[in-house]
Amino acid sequence: MLDAIRYLLFALFILSTVCAGFTSIRGRRAKDALQRGIYQATTNIWMGIMLIMLAFIQMFMFSGSTVAVIVEGMFIVLGAFNLFAGIRNRIHYSHIKSEKSPG
């Protein structure tokens, strides 16, 4: 059972890494500043998920030494910050985009 959780966490980590890279590249290539902001916000969301998954992988794979617990805690806090900042920015840019679009 523990091995299944490890594989699931590793798969989610790989998925979030690929998605973060993909949206980062799309954001850097976007010509419109509004679209670039939406892609960067999505990149922040994926990076937050990636950092949280990395912390959970560390929790399940390594023993609970003091240094490991501190690093895991830092990854969770940083990941949560990226996740919520990305969600906030995505909502902000989506509202601006909906105000600019004719309708």
Side-chain angles (χ1 to χ4, degrees):
M1 180 65 179
L2 195 56
D3 285 336
I5 293 172
R6 287 179 184 164
Y7 287 126
L8 177 67
L9 289 173
F10 187 69
L12 289 173
F13 175 73
I14 294 298
L15 175 72
S16 62
T17 303
V18 168
C19 289
F22 180 70
T23 56
S24 176
I25 290 169
R26 286 187 73 182
R28 293 178 195 279
R29 290 184 179 177
K31 301 291 183 207
D32 183 29
L34 185 61
Q35 195 66 31
R36 186 178 307 131
I38 290 173
Y39 282 132
Q40 287 176 350
T42 307
T43 301
N44 277 350
I45 292 170
W46 283 114
M47 287 181 68
I49 294 170
M50 179 183 64
L51 285 169
I52 291 170
M53 287 301 113
L54 191 59
F56 285 144
I57 288 170
Q58 280 187 326
M59 283 181 195
F60 282 106
M61 301 220 23
F62 302 111
S63 64
S65 69
T66 305
V67 175
V69 170
I70 291 171
V71 170
E72 292 162 5
M74 287 175 35
F75 279 175
I76 289 175
V77 168
L78 188 60
F81 177 76
N82 267 348
L83 181 66
F84 291 122
I87 291 170
R88 184 195 64 201
N89 290 341
R90 178 132 173 104
I91 290 170
H92 173 73
Y93 284 117
S94 295
H95 282 302
I96 292 174
K97 187 175 183 177
S98 66
E99 289 174 3
K100 286 180 103 176
S101 66

